[in-house]
Amino acid sequence: MGNFESINLFFQDESRYGLFTRNGKSVTAIGVKPICTFQQVFKSTWLSGAFSPITGDHFQLILPHCNADNFQVFLNNFTKEKPKELKIVVLDNGRFHKAKKLIIPENIVLVFLPPYSPELNPAEKMWAKYKRQFSNKFYKSLEDVEDFITDVVKNTTKKEVMSICGYSYVCLDKIWTI
């Protein structure tokens, strides 16, 4: 497997962000429907991310599409983060995650969740947190959307990742000694 200085567990997933206004909950007076500026534009970008419930480390990359080529770009960049760390990456069974043309870097091992089980992927909870902040807002351009994503990612702390992604089945203290 190679000569690594450390091992870390990550959960990986992708989420779409676009110009179509995402409606969400809002605080209003009883009986008053929330109102926000709305647009129905179908341009979007993708945020691909990996989150470690063990150390709180996270790596996220904005990509134009969700396909094998962009997943390869994600892997190529993720491998450069702490290159002496073996990254065990748990992810869903997206077709592009298993594309034959993928070249998996030496310091990354892919482990696939059972089919149709997004509830087992803590990365989904990170997307829910980000989407709550994204809801009920009007973005004029994809650059505005990317600025939002950049701000949210920069403000995500390790402690937050550990808290949100620390599912009990993942954080078995007697197993992980990192």
Side-chain angles (χ1 to χ4, degrees):
M1 290 293 300
N3 187 17
F4 299 105
E5 295 173 358
S6 62
I7 300 172
N8 203 349
L9 175 69
F10 288 88
F11 287 85
Q12 191 277 338
D13 200 22
E14 302 82 18
S15 186
R16 179 172 46 196
Y17 295 82
L19 297 179
F20 188 96
T21 305
R22 184 180 197 287
N23 291 325
K25 292 181 181 180
S26 185
V27 177
T28 64
I30 295 174
V32 177
K33 189 175 182 177
I35 298 172
C36 70
T37 307
F38 180 83
Q39 69 179 348
Q40 199 165 349
V41 177
F42 298 99
K43 292 182 180 178
S44 59
T45 191
W46 291 84
L47 179 60
S48 190
F51 306 90
S52 171
I54 309 302
T55 63
D57 290 341
H58 54 99
F59 176 78
Q60 292 150 84
L61 193 61
I62 298 171
L63 297 165
H65 301 286
C66 194
N67 58 27
D69 292 333
N70 284 293
F71 185 58
Q72 185 69 62
V73 170
F74 176 80
L75 290 174
N76 293 346
N77 283 277
F78 188 37
T79 192
K80 295 174 187 172
E81 294 288 314
K82 297 185 180 177
K84 290 289 188 180
E85 173 183 78
L86 177 63
K87 297 162 180 50
I88 301 169
V89 180
V90 181
L91 63 168
D92 62 26
N93 286 278
R95 178 177 275 172
F96 58 91
H97 290 151
K98 296 181 174 184
K100 291 181 181 179
K101 67 180 179 178
L102 287 177
I103 300 167
I104 309 302
E106 182 181 292
N107 67 336
I108 294 178
V109 175
L110 302 181
V111 177
F112 294 96
L113 288 166
Y116 308 106
S117 57
E119 68 279 0
L120 296 177
N121 192 344
E124 297 284 354
K125 295 291 187 188
M126 293 302 298
W127 299 150
K129 176 195 178 306
Y130 291 176
K131 294 284 177 127
R132 274 192 301 279
Q133 295 175 43
F134 188 73
S135 296
N136 299 333
K137 294 184 180 165
F138 181 84
Y139 298 94
K140 292 181 182 179
S141 67
L142 283 180
E143 290 78 22
D144 291 344
V145 171
E146 290 177 4
D147 289 344
F148 162 82
I149 293 169
T150 301
D151 288 343
V152 169
V153 169
K154 283 182 182 176
N155 291 321
T156 301
T157 66
K158 288 184 175 194
K159 185 176 180 181
E160 204 171 25
V161 171
M162 291 169 68
S163 172
I164 293 171
C165 295
Y167 285 23
S168 61
Y169 76 90
V170 172
C171 297
L172 302 173
D173 295 335
K174 294 179 179 163
I175 294 175
W176 297 101
T177 58
I178 298 173

